[in-house]
Amino acid sequence: MTGTPRLLVIDDDPTIREMLEMVLDSEGYEVVTAPHGMAAFAVLDQVRPHVIILDMKMPIMDGWGFLERYRRRPGARVPVVVLTAAQDDARRASEVGADAYVAKPFAIDDLIRVLDRCMTVSSSLA
Amino acid sequence: MQPAMGEQPDLFRLLVESVREYAIFLLDVEGHVRSWNAGAQRIKGYNASEIIGKHFSIFYPASELRRGKPEYELRVAIEEGRYEEEGWRVRSDGTRFWANVVITALRNRDGQLVGFAKVTRDLTERKQAEEERANLLIMERAARADAEGTLARLRSIQQVTEAALAHLNLDDLLRELLERIGDILAVDVVSVLLTDPDGRSLVPEAVRGLADDVPLAVRIPIGHGIVGQIPASRQGIIFNDLSMVRDSDPLLSRAGLNSLLGAPLGVERRVFGVLLIGTRRHRRFVETDLGFLQIMADRVALAIDRSRLYEAEQAARREAAQAGYAIRQRDAFLSVAAHELKTPVTSLCGLSEWLLRMSERGIPIDAGRHDRALTMMHRQAQNLSRLVTQLLEMTRLDADRLSLDRQDENLTELVRRSVDQAQTQTTEHQLILSAAPNVHAAVDAFRFEQVITNLLDNAIKYSPEGGPIEIELRQPRPERVRITVRDYGIGIPAGQEARIFERFFQAHRDSHRSGLGLGLYLSRRIVGEHGGRLTAESARGGGSRFIVDVPVASAVTAEGMVHA
């Protein structure tokens, strides 16, 4: 992997999007955000993230809708970390192809650890 | 008959005298016995020497003599030539026999009456046989009627039993039972009265055959009056003439009943009502009728008992189902509430931890980002506080009504404040207020602001693409105020315009973070407490429109407590 690791954060709550931007920027990530799955697909090819951070309950296209469509997409896929407040969402997310799960609220170190692990997978894919 | 031979009259006399089966004798014109034969002696018991010369009325019972029967018979024989009848006659020993009697008037060649020939047959045996047969016939008929009656009653009981088993619902059951019993017993009125829960009085539960204007909201104290004593004594009653008591009883007098039969309704030793039947015409009810009614009453009682058990079981089931629903609803709500609370907590934890990390690491944060982080934390703390308030309010609302402190408020200012406040939370939406100046109304300012803020928050939340949100304040009539909030967002799912006001209801439960499902529920209650209405509609061209319609003055204005 060369250059700065890039993340695509998909969450409908603007405060959480901005908070994740601040936190992860300070940790050396480049962060792009989208308010729902549909908006994420619009920027996906342009951003070419190494890891996707995904909320589940969103308008327009929710986490499940995003995962389903993302899985069917041709070409290489990057790891998806589900970041959700509901326990059963995490279980269902893994069933539809999420790679990791972090519960809201989270400790920054926990999130970084999961992201680092995914990053390793992602770079081996690249 | 012409005597053709010299010996013929003697032969003839011999013939007559020796006939034993018939009494054949002559009477003179006055009715005295002139001749006698063996048959007469056998049948009537007199010998010739005793009877010849006696008047023939001696053969008649005293009752016939008093009516002048012998004279009448002779008169008929004279006028018509012949008299015939069957009737009771008396023997010499005073016993009676049933006789066939023919009296023929005898006249000479000139047509002058010379006497009477009387022929009598003893038909007692035949008569007895006839009577016996008639008696047998009567007895047979009675026995058959009895059997048919018993069969009819058995059939009736079977019908009532069938009706009793046909329904589990008490109303249906009683309607059918009363109809059957009324038909079977051919009575005008049938009624079931049941003891009320306190066990002190009887209340009509079902009545058949009374006009609609007869009042049924009567209570008959148990132990008093004709009907009231039935459950107390556990005995049926027969009342064949109600005219004496009817005037003092409004129900009986309106029903116009004359005869009444009543039986207690009970299962085992529990008496819980009365079965009454009544007729408008006078009818003589007897013990058998009461016995029959009691058989019916026992079946009715069993059916009522069974129906009550069934209904109690159904009620218990419904209650359990409702409790189950309430528990599921509460569980779903708690899961939503936890999710909603976690959203601001996630931002607060993340931002505060980030600030601490940076400070620990000695990495400076530029002033703009620092301020931004603190502003976001503050707003999330406020959100959290609002959610907690809503939760508390919900539990309070379960217990009692909202208490409003209504004062004269400038709604134009109030709405403008709410709009300005809401605008600070978003840059993607443009809140456009169009308000009539200085509209006043008697409202609870805190609660009313809660409603407007909630509607604005919803409009923002459900317009994820941003865009305009239009707020209008109008006074269409001097006494009404109308506030409209219109957005161009995702709108209300079709057919759910009413449901969105239900507690915990979330129209976009699966696709969207919808909050606690309390905001609209609370808002509608607040508007309702103001005497107004909060409604929602899908707006043409997308999005939704919420309309608050409240009266300018509260209902208490008349009492001078609020001056709008």
Side-chain angles (χ1 to χ4, degrees), chain B residues 1-21:
Chain B
M1 188 177 290
Q2 295 292 318
M5 290 177 287
E7 68 271 84
Q8 267 183 333
D10 283 340
L11 268 176
F12 199 70
R13 190 165 47 82
L14 275 172
L15 168 73
V16 169
E17 281 174 357
S18 59
V19 166
R20 286 183 55 82
E21 284 70 32

Side-chain angles (χ1 to χ4, degrees), chain B residues 64-78:
Chain B
E64 302 273 59
L65 290 176
R66 275 197 299 278
R67 288 167 52 210
K69 190 75 183 298
E71 292 77 12
Y72 165 78
E73 288 179 6
L74 293 186
R75 207 161 54 242
V76 172
I78 292 165

Side-chain angles (χ1 to χ4, degrees), chain B residues 313-434:
Chain B
E313 191 196 311
Q314 290 293 100
R317 245 181 231 179
R318 269 197 304 277
E319 223 166 85
Q322 271 165 10
Y325 176 72
I327 288 168
R328 280 196 302 281
Q329 207 186 26
R330 177 101 358 173
D331 283 353
F333 170 73
L334 285 175
S335 128
V336 167
H339 185 267
E340 280 306 298
L341 292 170
K342 275 180 182 176
T343 300
V345 168
T346 300
S347 294
L348 273 171
C349 285
L351 289 165
S352 55
E353 197 190 345
W354 177 64
L355 288 174
L356 277 171
R357 274 168 92 95
M358 300 306 267
S359 153
E360 276 166 9
R361 291 178 187 173
I363 302 171
I365 307 170
D366 69 84
R369 292 185 99 192
H370 196 265
D371 276 3
R372 182 73 192 136
L374 286 177
T375 306
M376 287 197 292
M377 285 172 72
H378 179 58
R379 195 181 299 150
Q380 293 310 308
Q382 280 178 320
N383 276 348
L384 204 52
S385 160
R386 188 172 46 83
L387 286 168
V388 171
T389 307
Q390 274 196 355
L391 279 171
L392 286 175
E393 229 151 38
M394 181 203 71
T395 45
R396 205 178 314 143
L397 275 181
D398 279 344
D400 50 26
R401 284 160 58 99
L402 286 164
S403 58
L404 295 184
D405 177 21
R406 298 181 70 170
Q407 305 282 338
D408 174 38
E409 298 287 343
N410 185 331
L411 281 191
T412 310
E413 290 309 311
L414 187 150
V415 171
R416 192 186 307 284
R417 260 200 323 272
S418 305
V419 170
D420 289 348
Q421 170 62 31
Q423 184 65 77
T424 63
Q425 292 175 36
T426 175
T427 51
E428 290 153 15
H429 306 82
Q430 297 82 48
L431 276 63
I432 305 155
L433 172 64
S434 154

Side-chain angles (χ1 to χ4, degrees), chain B residues 406 441-443 529-531 551-559 561-564:
Chain B
R406 298 181 70 170
V443 296
E529 294 286 333
H530 279 87
V552 163
S554 71
V556 290
T557 309
E559 293 162 32
M561 291 177 71
V562 175
H563 304 280

